[in-house]
Amino acid sequence: MRSHLKECPRNQHNLSSQQRMSVSMDRLDRQSDQRLLVIEQDVGTIRSVLNEEIRQRLHLITDVGNIRKQNQVVEDWTRETEKAMDDLRRQMEEETNRKAFAIEQNQLDVQYCCDITQSLKEQVESRLDEAQKLVNQLSADVTYHQNQLNDNILKLEELIFENERLNREKFFQIEEFLQQINEDIKTKLGNSDYVTSKQATLDYEVKNVKNIVCETEERCDKLDRALHQTMQNISDLETQMAMQQRIASVQNIRGHLIWRIKDYSKKLEESKQYDTILHSAMFSNKAFGYALRLDIYLNGKGTWKGRNMIACLNVLSGEYDPLLAWPCRLQAEIIIRDQCTNAADAEDYVKTIFVRKKSDDFIQSNQYFHIPHKVITSRNYLRNDSMFIEVRVLK
């Protein structure tokens, strides 16, 4: 426009208009510049806004990508979680079924155990009744044997008194006879044949008296032995009653026994004189197992008599034999305890034995073991006239 105004011929005729036009153009230029400046500012603002929008869009795209990844992770985790939950539900169902089955089995087992317990209770009550009957029978037998013993003692006393009376009468008769002989000898010294016959008669009477005295002594010895044997039988019966009571109560069922033998010297003398046997309390190798007992000959037996103590572990007939394995084979240790004051210095005497017994005919295969008397009297095996013997069933 400026160039045209400068070159246009009409511009000179219309100078004022041109001037006004120039002023308008200047004003337009200024407005255009201002508008251009405003537009440039608006363009810059728009560019800034567009850049910010692009940046935010990029952030949004990045966030969307992250959200998609997170959604994918969440979906994967959800699927895995659902799968794990399904597995857990299945396991819980299986475990619930197993628990229910186990509970049913436990209930059946409890019911079975209750039935078994009731049956065992009835059996124990029946056995206790039988044991009570046996104890009553043994008590009656003991009373009977005690009465017989009293009767034998009375008969023995009467017999001894009668023998003493007869012996006194015989002695009185002999004395009277001797006095008569002396008087006859004094009055008839010249008749040697009569003296010889009287002497022979006197010798015969003396021999008869000696024979009567010897027979009386032998009968007294026999009666003494019979009395001691009866007393031993009564003691065995009392011991057997106590054993039956202990078996009925089922106390020692662990295969372990400690037996204290009191009055060792007195019992050794009785063993020397009457060949007595000491019996321990009955015990068992386990619950409802074999019935065991230790038998001891304090003065020995057979060729070992007088120098050794002989013992053996016996398997007796028990209540539960039909339920046990036969033949019976056991291994045990017999221990003579050292009663030393200091337990650390104690040295026990140990013997290992094997016990065998058949079931059909109850043939016993005892293994006797011997312990010399000099071993028993050594160290502290014998103290306060008592000895402790321990039995341990190994297998």
Side-chain angles (χ1 to χ4, degrees):
M1 184 60 71
R2 289 189 190 95
S3 300
H4 176 72
L5 289 176
K6 288 179 179 181
E7 296 177 356
C8 182
R10 294 180 181 179
N11 189 21
Q12 294 178 359
H13 297 286
N14 198 3
L15 183 62
S16 59
S17 298
Q18 185 178 2
Q19 289 178 351
R20 287 193 300 272
M21 182 66 69
S22 177
V23 173
S24 298
M25 292 301 294
D26 291 335
R27 188 167 57 250
L28 288 172
D29 290 336
R30 284 194 302 269
Q31 290 180 354
S32 297
D33 292 336
Q34 291 178 355
R35 292 290 300 277
L36 183 61
L37 180 62
V38 171
I39 291 172
E40 289 178 354
Q41 290 178 354
D42 292 338
V43 169
T45 303
I46 290 171
R47 285 178 178 174
S48 299
V49 172
L50 287 175
N51 291 330
E52 183 67 25
E53 184 181 359
I54 291 171
R55 187 168 59 252
Q56 290 180 359
R57 186 173 294 177
L58 291 175
H59 284 299
L60 289 174
I61 293 172
T62 303
D63 293 337
V64 168
N66 293 330
I67 291 171
R68 287 179 178 175
K69 290 181 180 179
Q70 292 178 359
N71 289 332
Q72 184 66 32
V73 172
V74 169
E75 289 177 358
D76 295 339
W77 181 80
T78 304
R79 285 195 300 272
E80 293 177 355
T81 304
E82 290 178 354
K83 184 178 179 182
M85 290 294 291
D86 293 336
D87 293 337
L88 287 174
R89 289 192 189 95
R90 187 173 61 258
Q91 291 178 2
M92 288 180 64
E93 291 177 357
E94 293 177 355
E95 186 66 23
T96 303
N97 295 329
R98 285 198 298 269
K99 291 292 184 181
F101 181 75
I103 290 171
E104 292 178 358
Q105 289 296 117
N106 290 332
Q107 290 177 352
L108 294 176
D109 293 340
V110 168
Q111 185 64 34
Y112 178 74
C113 291
C114 292
D115 296 338
I116 292 295
T117 305
Q118 185 65 27
S119 176
L120 289 176
K121 183 179 178 181
E122 293 175 357
Q123 291 180 4
V124 168
E125 290 177 353
S126 176
R127 295 294 174 82
L128 287 176
D129 293 337
E130 294 177 359
Q132 186 64 36
K133 293 179 181 178
L134 182 60
V135 169
N136 295 332
Q137 183 65 32
L138 289 174
S139 300
D141 293 340
V142 168
T143 304
Y144 175 74
H145 286 291
Q146 186 69 35
N147 294 331
Q148 282 190 343
L149 176 63
N150 294 330
D151 294 340
N152 291 331
I153 291 173
L154 292 175
K155 291 180 181 179
L156 177 62
E157 291 177 351
E158 292 177 358
L159 182 61
I160 290 173
F161 290 152
E162 182 67 21
N163 289 331
E164 289 180 353
R165 187 180 62 79
L166 293 175
N167 289 332
R168 283 197 299 270
E169 291 179 357
K170 289 289 183 180
F171 282 123
F172 290 152
Q173 291 178 2
I174 291 171
E175 288 180 355
E176 292 177 358
F177 185 71
L178 289 175
Q179 289 178 0
Q180 291 178 2
I181 289 176
N182 289 328
E183 291 176 357
D184 292 338
I185 289 172
K186 289 179 181 179
T187 55
K188 299 178 180 180
L189 290 175
N191 191 354
S192 60
D193 294 335
Y194 180 76
V195 173
T196 303
S197 62
K198 285 290 183 180
Q199 186 69 32
T201 305
L202 179 62
D203 293 337
Y204 179 75
E205 293 291 336
V206 169
K207 288 181 180 180
N208 289 333
V209 170
K210 289 181 179 180
N211 291 329
I212 292 172
V213 171
C214 291
E215 291 177 357
T216 304
E217 290 179 353
E218 290 178 358
R219 294 182 66 181
C220 289
D221 291 337
K222 290 180 179 179
L223 289 174
D224 188 16
R225 288 181 176 275
L227 177 62
H228 185 274
Q229 186 65 33
T230 305
M231 294 296 292
Q232 183 68 28
N233 292 335
I234 291 174
S235 178
D236 291 340
L237 286 173
E238 292 176 351
T239 304
Q240 187 176 3
M241 288 177 62
M243 290 176 184
Q244 292 295 334
Q245 291 177 355
R246 285 195 293 270
I247 290 174
S249 60
V250 191
Q251 293 179 353
N252 192 344
I253 56 173
R254 296 171 297 175
H256 186 202
L257 173 70
I258 296 180
W259 180 19
R260 181 181 183 183
I261 300 178
K262 299 180 180 179
D263 301 327
Y264 174 82
S265 302
K266 178 181 177 182
K267 292 177 180 178
L268 179 61
E269 290 299 325
E270 290 179 355
S271 179
K272 290 179 180 178
Q273 187 174 1
Y274 302 107
D275 293 333
T276 56
I277 306 174
L278 300 182
H279 304 290
S280 72
M282 293 180 66
F283 64 103
S284 180
N285 64 320
K286 61 179 181 180
F288 311 109
Y290 301 102
L292 305 174
R293 185 184 69 193
L294 184 65
D295 297 340
I296 292 180
Y297 302 82
L298 287 180
N299 193 43
K301 181 181 179 181
T303 57
W304 304 97
K305 191 172 183 180
R307 296 177 290 112
N308 300 270
M309 181 184 78
I310 302 295
C312 67
L313 186 61
N314 285 328
V315 180
L316 306 179
S317 298
E319 295 290 333
Y320 309 104
D321 288 346
L323 305 178
L324 300 175
W326 297 95
C328 170
R329 292 183 178 88
L330 298 176
Q331 181 180 355
E333 283 185 350
I334 310 297
I335 304 170
I336 308 296
R337 298 293 295 270
D338 188 357
Q339 305 175 51
C340 184
T341 305
N342 188 3
D345 298 334
E347 294 182 5
D348 298 334
Y349 188 86
V350 182
K351 283 273 190 177
T352 302
I353 63 171
F354 296 90
V355 181
R356 298 179 181 86
K357 182 179 179 181
K358 295 182 179 179
S359 174
D360 49 1
D361 50 2
F362 292 98
I363 297 176
Q364 185 83 24
S365 177
N366 292 331
Q367 179 186 358
Y368 292 92
F369 64 94
H370 68 280
I371 301 175
H373 287 163
K374 61 182 180 179
V375 172
I376 297 175
T377 55
S378 64
R379 296 188 63 81
N380 293 288
Y381 300 126
L382 191 63
R383 190 172 184 180
N384 296 327
D385 205 25
S386 296
M387 180 173 59
F388 286 91
I389 300 179
E390 183 176 1
V391 181
R392 290 181 180 273
V393 179
L394 302 178
K395 59 182 178 178

